[in-house]
Structures are given as structure tokens and as C-alpha cells.
Amino acid sequence: MEAIVNSLNSILIEGNMVREPLYRTTPKGTPVCTFSMASNRFFKQDTSTEKEVSFFEVETWSKVADSCNNLGKKGRGVRVVGRLKQNRWTGDDGKQHSRITIVAEHVEFRPEFGRNSSAGKNDAYAARTGTPPTNAPRNKPASPNSRYSDYEENRVFEEDPAAVVF
């Protein structure tokens, strides 16, 4: 008997949601949430710095989908860990089409800071329980040197997507 071995197919990408998440359920009742994200890349070109923006479609399932629907919104920073999936189909014109999407297995949300947010740690907690913790520390602006260190505050896991690490 021959063993079946999957090829390596893994992606980690950071960026911002560019539209509100789209939440739906399958006919069997499984939650599915999709969103688009943009990821920026900066590079030197001669004497100037250039910016390249790439857009990606992300698909989440089950409890991860529920969490993305509750915590995600346009403009929110996200870190996605997952795999690439290629969808192929024949169009009405008879031509073959293809699209690559990211199937997320793990999504982390960047804390929100600013006037119009309930800010950072309490966002995820309130979405999960409906009330902020009574002993929650006061939110402070992220330091420029810790761009993503605050991700640990708003993690969403495949095993228990409603879990948030404080």
C-alpha cells in the first residue's frame, strides 16, 4: 500500500481588510465567511521608494468564519495563516478560468486604536462575551517598533476561534 503525502502548501500574509466580510452558511448549515485583503510591499527603485499593493480573497469556515464575521471590518489589520486553493471552471464562453484563494486556518486581528474604536484588547473580548473585562488594562498606542506585537492580544484559532489570548 502506497502512502499519500500532501505537498507543502502554506501561506502567511499580513494586510488590511478592504471590504466588509461576507457571511453565509452552506445548505448543511456550515458558516462560511469571505473577505478581501490588501498587502503592501515597499521596495527601492533607483532613488525612490515604490509601493506595490496585492489583493487576495480569503475564505474561512466554521468557528473561524464566525469570529471573522464578528471581529472583521473594512480597514482592520489582519494576519492570515492558511493554504492556497485553486478553483477552476469553464465559463459560459467555453473558456477555462481559474482563481486562487486563501483558505484561512488561523486569523489574527490587529488591535484598533483611535477615537472611534472601543480599542484593542476589549474589542475581541466584547465580541465574545458581550462585556469588557473589569480588570482590563487601559489601552495605549502601539509603539512604532512593535508593529505586530499586539497581534497576540486578538488571536483567533482554528481549534477554538472564539478564544482570545489576553
Side-chain angles (χ1 to χ4, degrees):
M1 185 168 149
E2 186 177 323
I4 298 174
V5 178
N6 286 330
S7 300
L8 179 62
N9 180 356
S10 183
I11 185 167
L12 179 133
I13 190 161
E14 298 174 342
N16 294 309
M17 291 181 157
V18 295
R19 64 174 167 79
E20 296 297 321
L22 176 63
Y23 183 84
R24 62 188 190 285
T25 57
T26 66
K28 290 185 177 181
T30 305
V32 180
C33 186
T34 58
F35 59 90
S36 296
M37 66 180 290
S39 183
N40 299 326
R41 174 181 173 260
F42 296 92
F43 59 95
K44 289 281 188 183
Q45 182 79 32
D46 299 322
T47 60
S48 65
T49 301
E50 300 292 326
K51 177 180 176 181
E52 174 184 274
V53 181
S54 297
F55 296 90
F56 301 94
E57 292 296 316
V58 179
E59 177 180 291
T60 62
W61 291 83
S62 193
K63 292 182 178 181
V64 177
D66 290 333
S67 295
C68 288
N69 183 53
N70 292 332
L71 299 173
K73 68 178 187 177
K74 182 178 178 178
R76 183 130 195 213
V78 291
R79 177 185 291 160
V80 174
V81 178
R83 63 182 173 85
L84 298 175
K85 179 176 97 173
Q86 183 179 24
N87 296 311
R88 297 182 192 118
W89 69 95
T90 303
D92 294 336
D93 56 2
K95 292 184 181 179
Q96 294 294 319
H97 298 273
S98 173
R99 179 183 358 200
I100 304 289
T101 59
I102 299 170
V103 179
E105 297 163 0
H106 175 91
V107 175
E108 297 173 2
F109 292 91
R110 189 177 310 153
E112 295 180 294
F113 297 102
R115 292 185 301 192
N116 297 329
S117 78
S118 58
K121 296 178 185 179
N122 292 342
D123 274 357
Y125 188 88
R128 185 181 57 163
T129 65
T131 58
T134 56
N135 62 348
R138 297 197 78 142
N139 294 307
K140 59 181 185 229
S143 72
N145 296 331
S146 64
R147 183 172 168 202
Y148 296 109
S149 64
D150 292 325
Y151 267 116
E152 297 301 314
E153 306 298 335
N154 289 304
R155 283 204 258 181
V156 178
F157 294 96
E158 178 182 21
E159 297 83 19
D160 184 6
V164 177
V165 178
F166 290 98

